[in-house]
Amino acid sequence: MATDPFSLFDAWFVDAEASEPNDPNAMTVATSDAAGQPSARMVLLKGHGPDGFVFYTNRESQKADDLAANGRAALLFHWKSLRRQIRIEGMVEHVTDAESDAYFATRGRDSQLGAWASDQSRPLDSRDTFESRFAEVEARFAGGDVPRPPHWGGYRVVPARIEFWQDRAHRLHERRLFTRAEGGWTEGLLFP
C-alpha cells in the first residue's frame, strides 16, 4: 500500500484511465469569491506531480476572479466505475508562461482559436456573435501558428490535504487522509 499520496494518486489514475469511458482526468474545481460564495465546475487535469495538480483556463473567467480573491481551491475526482474518489485541497498558483505556452501548443487548432474567441463566463447577445468572433480569429491566424492568448493560462493547486475514498460494503467506506506537514506528509486511516 502506497505511503506517498502522489504514488497512490498515480496508481488510482492509471486504474481510472483503464476503466473510465470518458475523461478520466475530469475533476471538479471548487473556488470561493472574496465574500465566501462557493462555486464549482468541471475542468480537466492536464498535469500532476509532487508540485501539484494543473488545469488551464481563461484567466478572465469567474474561477480566475475567485482565485484572485481567494487563492485556495478544492479538487474532486470521482470515478464511479471504480467506486473511488479523491479530494484535494490547497493553495493555488499560476503555472509559468513557458508551461502554459507548451500546453497551449498541444491543443487542437480549433481549441486554440476558441481560446481567443471566448469571453468565458461573460454573456453574449447570441451564439452568432461567438461564431463571428471565431471566424474573425480564424482569419487573423490563417496560415500560421496560433499563439497563446495573454488572458489564458494554467493554475496549479498545491495540495495541503489529499483524501482517498474507497467505497466499501454496507457504507463502511475507507478513507486515507494525507496532510502536508513540515518535511513531508502524515497519514491517517479514516472510517465513516
Side-chain angles (χ1 to χ4, degrees):
M1 187 179 269
T3 58
D4 163 35
F6 301 105
S7 60
L8 184 55
F9 180 89
D10 289 342
W12 281 27
F13 193 66
V14 166
D15 291 346
E17 289 177 316
S19 71
E20 289 297 310
N22 294 304
D23 299 325
N25 60 331
M27 60 185 182
T28 301
V29 60
T31 59
S32 61
D33 64 16
Q37 178 62 47
S39 181
R41 76 287 286 155
M42 299 301 292
V43 299
L44 298 177
L45 176 71
K46 292 299 182 178
H48 69 280
D51 58 341
F53 299 83
V54 176
F55 65 93
Y56 292 87
T57 190
N58 183 319
R59 288 189 175 154
E60 296 174 348
S61 65
Q62 179 188 341
K63 72 178 104 32
D65 290 346
D66 288 354
L67 292 171
N70 177 356
R72 292 179 177 87
L75 306 175
L76 173 65
F77 293 88
H78 177 239
W79 298 304
K80 187 175 180 82
S81 66
L82 295 172
R83 299 167 59 173
R84 291 178 176 166
Q85 64 182 359
I86 301 174
R87 296 182 342 145
I88 299 163
E89 299 170 3
M91 298 299 292
V92 180
E93 62 188 25
H94 283 192
V95 303
T96 66
D97 285 344
E99 288 174 282
S100 291
D101 289 342
Y103 172 69
F104 190 79
T106 70
R107 291 170 59 110
R109 185 174 183 82
D110 284 349
S111 293
Q112 292 174 334
L113 294 170
W116 280 95
S118 173
D119 286 341
Q120 191 174 349
S121 302
R122 288 170 178 73
L124 289 175
D125 60 346
S126 70
R127 175 79 186 181
D128 289 340
T129 299
F130 178 65
E131 290 177 3
S132 292
R133 285 181 173 187
F134 187 87
E136 288 169 12
V137 294
E138 192 172 33
R140 180 168 141 200
F141 296 113
D145 291 337
V146 180
R148 178 178 61 88
H151 61 271
W152 190 95
Y155 290 92
R156 178 178 292 106
V157 178
V158 179
R161 294 169 44 103
I162 305 176
E163 181 186 283
F164 296 82
W165 178 93
Q166 177 71 55
D167 185 29
R168 298 286 188 223
H170 314 292
R171 298 195 178 270
L172 301 176
H173 311 310
E174 180 178 302
R175 294 183 291 150
R176 294 180 68 190
L177 175 62
F178 292 84
T179 306
R180 189 181 297 271
E182 193 170 319
W185 291 87
T186 60
E187 180 189 3
L189 188 59
L190 308 172
F191 295 94

